[in-house]
Amino acid sequence: MSSYPSSAQRVEEWRHIRVTRDDGVVTVTLDRPEKLNALTFGAYADLRDLLAELTRERSARALVLAGEGRGFCSGGDVDEIIGATLAMDTAAILEFNRMTGQVVRALRECPFPVVAALHGVAAGAGAVLALAADFRVADPTARFAFLFTRVGLSGGDMGAAYLLPRVVGLGHATRLLMLGDAVRAPEAERIGLISELTEEGQADARAAELARRLADGPALALAQTKALLTAELDMPLAASVELDANTQALLMHGEDYAEFHAAFTEKRPPKWRGR
């Protein structure tokens, strides 16, 4: 818990997502299986607020993002979002689009690793949520589709034009964002869009195993690694090397660094404290 807690009250029950907690591992499940977990305004807002809460509390050491039913997420709900935005003025539409981007930023900037557990469809906004995770664990049924141009919008939605080229390269990103064609699991693994391909039906279990491994690891070191990966995407080498040096100098004064040396000397596993 932060020494400077927020005055915001913790939310005990989330209305639009299912949240479970298990000793530092938080599992967030998109839970509208009858709609292939299509996102609503409320689901976006809950994801944004939950990630902010977990970041404030510093209670989460890893997060799993999963989908209930036949697929991960089919994107924004056609009636509840696309239909509704047709009646909005420009200011309201801009506010909504900024909120969706805030979810992606929160996934990238939260101080704990995020593992997406993928099966079935990950389309539109669902594909971008998966893209924003640190790890994408998928089974052979998984398929990605960045569908924004198919509905007459820019393929660069929610940060996709920033993130996707950095994951799969500019050539693949151009094809996926402009054409909106589905990418099935074998190709997604080949171009680097999938971190790990599992046996069918095993993505959730494997994602949970990976999240547990991460949560039991050196939390502060992992948080700083994630922060540097994001920060250094647009830095020149000299600035990156200097940031790395400053980060390591700080971590070398941490308890976990000393604990590793003590554990090595005493021939035992280290007891990480995230400090």
Side-chain angles (χ1 to χ4, degrees):
M1 181 74 74
S2 169
S3 301
Y4 306 100
S6 168
S7 60
Q9 296 296 311
R10 186 185 192 193
V11 176
E12 297 300 331
E13 183 176 354
W14 298 92
R15 293 179 55 198
H16 305 283
I17 53 177
R18 192 169 80 238
V19 181
T20 60
R21 305 170 191 248
D22 179 20
D23 189 24
V25 175
V26 177
T27 300
V28 179
T29 305
L30 305 176
D31 194 13
R32 297 180 75 210
E34 73 285 359
K35 295 279 190 177
L36 274 175
N37 302 317
L39 296 165
T40 62
F41 295 119
Y44 278 117
D46 275 4
L47 286 169
R48 176 200 61 193
D49 295 344
L50 172 66
L51 289 161
E53 179 180 286
L54 294 174
T55 298
R56 284 196 309 268
E57 289 183 349
R58 298 300 174 101
S59 57
R61 298 195 301 277
L63 183 143
V64 175
L65 183 59
E68 186 63 47
R70 295 181 293 118
F72 174 69
C73 176
S74 59
D77 189 285
V78 173
D79 294 321
E80 295 192 35
I81 289 185
I82 297 177
T85 54
L86 292 174
M88 292 181 178
D89 62 21
T90 301
I93 290 176
L94 181 58
E95 182 181 6
F96 162 66
N97 280 284
R98 284 175 171 161
M99 177 178 69
T100 66
Q102 287 166 0
V103 175
V104 171
R105 283 192 61 184
L107 288 168
R108 294 304 315 142
E109 295 175 0
C110 61
F112 43 82
V114 176
V115 182
L118 305 169
H119 69 287
V121 67
V128 183
L129 292 181
L131 177 64
D134 300 292
F135 299 89
R136 284 164 295 284
V137 178
D139 81 2
T141 68
R143 62 189 187 279
F144 299 82
F146 297 86
L147 297 173
F148 306 108
T149 59
R150 297 285 188 93
V151 300
L153 297 175
S154 165
D157 194 35
M158 298 170 62
Y162 178 89
L163 291 172
L164 192 58
R166 288 163 170 80
V167 173
V168 303
L170 180 60
H172 290 305
T174 300
R175 172 172 59 94
L176 299 183
L177 294 183
M178 285 195 175
L179 300 179
D181 291 341
V183 179
R184 298 187 178 275
E187 182 186 2
E189 183 185 32
R190 178 177 62 81
I191 65 177
L193 190 51
I194 288 175
S195 309
E196 180 179 340
L197 187 60
T198 73
E199 297 294 326
E200 187 167 341
Q202 295 301 307
D204 284 357
R206 178 60 190 134
E209 290 176 7
L210 178 56
R212 171 49 57 199
R213 175 183 173 184
L214 291 163
D216 290 344
L220 188 57
L222 295 176
Q224 290 303 308
T225 302
K226 176 172 180 172
L228 292 180
L229 283 167
T230 298
E232 293 181 20
L233 284 172
D234 300 309
M235 282 187 180
L237 177 59
S240 295
V241 169
E242 180 62 19
L243 181 58
D244 289 352
N246 281 274
T247 301
Q248 297 295 51
L250 289 171
L251 290 175
M252 285 175 177
H253 280 294
E255 293 181 22
D256 280 352
Y257 186 65
E259 166 61 13
F260 166 77
H261 184 263
F264 181 83
T265 302
E266 297 166 16
K267 296 181 170 45
R268 60 170 175 81
K271 299 175 182 177
W272 306 114
R273 301 186 63 188
R275 298 179 181 176

